[in-house]
Amino acid sequence: MITLMDDGVHDNPTYDRILQAFQWVVNESLAGDTVWIHYSGHGGRVEDDNGDEDDGYDETLIPVDFQRKGQIRDDDLLRYLVKPMREGLLMTCLMDCCHSGTVLDLPYRFIADGDHYQMERNDDFDMDHLIEVAKIAATVTASLGGMAQSVIQSSGLVEEIDECCVIL
């Protein structure tokens, strides 16, 4: 278990340490494991830098050294925490910060406001695009077998596939 806190006892939750903690949990977690991620701290939003946000803003986690290193964008959480997780494990993330509703850029979300009692579809997530990319990847894989990865990489589909995820 890794605990990062700005309490003078634990390691400070710096930009690099938070990302290293995510990398550690990804590397150590196996199928069948239950993973718990808890973030209590400052959250924010910054102007979207790649055009993937309908509202024009990325949600962020704000580490203690944000003035020097920057904020951790939702795109980074998806890239370094969500996507590399192994299949067959259960990950629960509790993000206790402002702007945390879509901070993981997932297709579904739960809003704990007393009015919502179940997961709801995130309307900002392009599920149709995800399904279309998955169909193309499955067709290419079935048609080409072992050659599929090199064909997909050379065709530019990897970038498209990398921009989505499926949470089961």
Side-chain angles (χ1 to χ4, degrees), residues 7-152:
D7 61 358
V9 175
H10 298 86
D11 288 333
N12 277 327
T14 63
Y15 185 98
D16 290 335
R17 284 189 180 132
I18 291 171
L19 291 183
Q20 289 167 358
F22 291 158
Q23 182 179 21
W24 178 83
V25 77
V26 164
N27 291 337
E28 294 296 317
S29 302
L30 302 172
D33 286 351
T34 298
V35 176
W36 171 257
I37 305 287
H38 177 208
Y39 175 85
S40 284
H42 294 289
R45 49 187 231 155
V46 296
E47 194 169 315
D48 180 22
D49 63 351
N50 63 3
D52 69 335
E53 302 286 346
D54 287 340
D55 66 356
Y57 291 94
D58 281 327
E59 290 72 36
T60 65
L61 304 182
I62 302 177
V64 296
D65 60 346
F66 76 95
Q67 291 176 322
R68 189 170 44 84
K69 296 290 282 193
Q71 299 179 39
I72 300 172
R73 293 174 180 264
D74 53 8
D75 299 336
D76 298 326
L77 294 171
L78 186 63
R79 182 180 308 115
Y80 298 118
L81 178 63
V82 176
K83 287 183 181 179
M85 278 291 184
R86 289 182 177 89
E87 186 177 336
L89 61 83
L90 173 66
M91 179 172 66
T92 300
C93 291
L94 174 61
M95 298 296 186
D96 177 20
C97 58
C98 293
H99 306 288
S100 63
T102 59
V103 75
L104 294 176
D105 280 348
L106 299 176
Y108 292 90
R109 64 181 170 206
F110 176 76
I111 301 170
D113 63 0
D115 294 328
H116 297 82
Y117 299 100
Q118 61 186 0
M119 299 291 284
E120 295 178 355
R121 184 170 176 169
N122 179 0
D123 293 331
D124 294 332
F125 188 89
D126 190 351
M127 189 68 78
D128 294 331
H129 178 70
L130 169 64
I131 292 168
E132 199 58 39
V133 170
K135 285 179 187 175
I136 293 168
T139 302
V140 170
T141 302
S143 300
L144 300 175
M147 293 176 35
Q149 184 169 351
S150 62
V151 170
I152 291 171

